[in-house]
Amino acid sequence: MITITQEDFDPGVYINAARDRQVGGIVTFTGIVRDDGITAIELETFREAALQELEAIRDEALSRYAIQSVDIIHRIGTLSVGDHIVLIVVGAPHRRDAFRACEYIIDRIKETVPIWKKEYTNEGSRWVPGEHT
Amino acid sequence: MITITQEDFDPGVYINAARDRQVGGIVTFTGIVRDDGITAIELETFREAALQELEAIRDEALSRYAIQSVDIIHRIGTLSVGDHIVLIVVGAPHRRDAFRACEYIIDRIKETVPIWKKEYTNEGSRWVPGEHT
Amino acid sequence: MKITVRAFAQFREVVGEVTVLDLPQRSGLPVLFAALASRSDESRGMLFDDQGAIREHVIFMVNRKRVPRSSLDSIILYEGDEVAIYPPVAGG
Amino acid sequence: MKITVRAFAQFREVVGEVTVLDLPQRSGLPVLFAALASRSDESRGMLFDDQGAIREHVIFMVNRKRVPRSSLDSIILYEGDEVAIYPPVAGG
């Protein structure tokens, strides 16, 4: 499942859903708003393009690695320190593939999915510079 | 938290507990009983030595990687296909360290923690050979 | 012909979220960028460098497909096309 | 002196979960393994190879501290020590 949502999520629900007779290991990445002296962050997306890109990343991961399932949830809107930002859940027969695929997916999300973050501090706000062009 | 238990666990509870102001990413590994034509597996442990070894692995991970927290739960007793076997939850400021540490921990568990698996099939039972001596 | 421009993040703040431009038939992307830049000095400064080249950090899609910088001059736009412009992404 | 031997997995099934051996003072591990082996042919076959050497896959701890194979001959046991023997682990 690929979702972009304002709603919070419970990672446990998606780990549970990834259980399968062929799955021996589930690796998850949960991105959290870290306290970098901020009061809040705001996430903006080009939703249609972002969903399309997330689906492409999922399909690439499924074809590159021996994995069984991929779920990605990305939040948008205003978030506070400690809030969930993103969840990636990868189920695989063997753990190596699950680790490789999960890290591949989060790396690709940070490279190409049209989502942007604006940080708010007591001094003002700034757009977080992307790492890739 | 380091635990060896017969009880099932909810990975979501431990991911939630790993949230912290300094944590930007949480990586988890959940080991599951895969369907390799088995009816059940039984896990046995040398509990005191296993707890001591899990604590040593946690401490090594905390000193080798820039991570904030490590939780490990390992089940013993009789489990069926799809049941949880092990949960590792690593919280870190940055994702790379969380991925590296989580994989390091599961690799070390499989190498040195005194836990053994017996697989039951319709034909009988066998002890799963360890990969390391 | 009508071309819809969608801008995101700091580009949205300067250019506006949705802009409908009326461009000559078969215009290319350089014409579109020039039209956007002509709307305000702030838009121009965000999109073009001092040499008049489109800035490195400007990313663009036509009809939700990313266009590589090497194809900047070869794309032809058609009535109803949607062009998206945005800075480097920072999700995850 | 009394030494407690704890065995796990297939070793437990053959040797028994807990065995208390009465060994001469200051015995070493080879003496302990020989005493275990003398209890049954199955135990001997599990612990020793055909050349009479302790099998590669036998792992052992003294007082919950793993003893490397290179220290097999240098360890001295004392009254009340606990020796654990087990095959390669397979958890996780």
Side-chain angles (χ1 to χ4, degrees), chain D residues 6-65:
Chain D
R6 296 177 65 178
F8 297 91
Q10 52 269 54
F11 291 10
R12 171 181 53 72
E13 291 177 335
V14 170
V15 174
E17 190 171 342
V18 178
T19 308
V20 178
L21 294 175
D22 199 351
L23 300 180
Q25 291 292 328
R26 300 177 65 75
S27 292
L29 287 167
V31 171
L32 177 139
F33 280 108
L36 282 177
S38 72
R39 295 164 59 93
S40 76
D41 285 351
E42 229 188 332
S43 291
R44 180 174 304 278
M46 175 162 267
L47 298 171
F48 288 92
D49 65 20
D50 294 344
Q51 278 72 48
I54 291 168
R55 288 187 187 278
E56 280 296 327
H57 69 257
V58 179
I59 300 173
F60 31 92
M61 284 185 162
V62 176
N63 299 329
R64 289 169 203 171
K65 209 163 167 245

